Amino acid sequence: MSMLVGQGIGINFDGRWLYRNVNFTLDDHRMLALIGENGVGKTTLLRAILGELELTEGQLTWNDQDVVVAYVPQYRADMQAFPLKIREYVGLSMDKGLLPWYGKDEKAWLQHIIEDTNLTEIADRRIDQASGGERQRAFLAQALVRNPHILILDEATANLDQNAKFELMNVVKHYRDHHDLSVIMVSHDLEILQTYADDYLFLSSDGGQFGACAETKLSLLKNGGAQNV
């Protein structure tokens, strides 16, 4: 089942087209890699998907108008400014405010997300005392606690060490495999892309190329575009 379909997408800024005639499909339980050179407009397309920006042309068609989209940004060192426990920080995305005002079901769901993101042992540690990888998993948990249908990872593994980035992506994959979740990820990390992505959308000024990762070599695509595939 298709969660999101992009048809004939074009974005123009100040009289300059970033790209036109971009087409893609995000299917249920699939992980779509959004790739292309810096400045091509990957984040711009994410902003359109998040409803923050209007497309110049084309359309985004959702399978359900009530689709919940959650967003995980690149790791932010300024997280040290929040002296909250990790459990409290994750719960900020829930509607009922801080503990102990959660109901029984909300507490159970919060605990489920903490367990799924491998945060159980450090859930009562202050987030400003956690490592970079632990904080990024807390950002992920805060997104997942909303029970999204689509998760956007905007270079979420950037600035993490080798172990931390794979732990984060393994958590995402495990959650995707056991819940109704589709993923869009932006990354320049070829190893991460080749390990986890199911499909790709390569953006360039010439438009977009969409396909299954199993049918192409992402290394060639990143190094030269469609003509090298």
Side-chain angles (χ1 to χ4, degrees), residues 2-174:
S2 297
M3 298 297 297
L4 173 63
V5 177
Q7 296 174 297
I9 290 174
I11 296 179
N12 185 298
F13 272 138
D14 297 326
R16 180 178 72 89
W17 288 97
L18 298 181
Y19 36 73
R20 304 183 75 176
N21 195 34
V22 172
N23 302 285
F24 70 92
T25 300
L26 176 65
D27 286 333
D28 191 26
H29 289 276
R30 301 283 283 185
M31 199 173 298
L32 171 66
L34 186 57
I35 58 179
E37 295 182 358
N38 286 331
V40 73
K42 299 185 295 295
T43 297
T44 303
L45 180 56
L46 292 184
R47 289 181 60 199
I49 292 171
L50 289 166
E52 299 174 357
L53 181 74
E54 292 287 334
L55 298 174
T56 308
E57 62 184 18
Q59 61 183 2
L60 293 167
T61 303
W62 302 87
N63 121 296
D64 188 329
Q65 293 305 310
D66 295 324
V67 166
V68 176
V69 182
Y71 176 84
V72 180
Q74 185 173 327
Y75 167 68
R76 305 189 305 266
D78 63 359
M79 197 61 243
Q80 294 183 10
F82 290 81
L84 293 173
K85 292 180 179 180
I86 288 174
R87 184 186 307 276
E88 295 171 338
Y89 177 76
V90 172
L92 290 176
S93 283
M94 300 183 76
D95 292 335
K96 297 294 184 179
L98 294 174
L99 296 170
W101 291 279
Y102 298 130
K104 180 179 178 180
D105 290 345
E106 291 164 325
K107 289 181 180 179
W109 177 247
L110 177 59
Q111 184 60 33
H112 171 70
I113 294 299
I114 287 172
E115 291 172 359
D116 265 11
T117 49
N118 297 338
L119 293 170
T120 303
E121 293 184 3
I122 61 170
D124 293 317
R125 181 186 302 173
R126 278 178 38 160
I127 195 167
D128 58 339
Q129 297 173 350
S131 69
E134 291 166 345
R135 290 179 201 163
Q136 194 67 346
R137 278 186 282 121
F139 299 158
L140 173 62
Q142 192 183 62
L144 294 180
V145 83
R146 297 179 55 205
N147 196 19
H149 303 94
I150 296 175
L151 177 69
I152 293 178
L153 305 176
D154 192 359
E155 299 197 47
T157 61
N159 301 322
L160 299 181
D161 64 34
Q162 191 79 351
N163 290 333
K165 70 182 183 181
F166 277 98
E167 183 173 12
L168 182 79
M169 290 305 301
N170 284 338
V171 167
V172 172
K173 183 178 184 300
H174 178 270

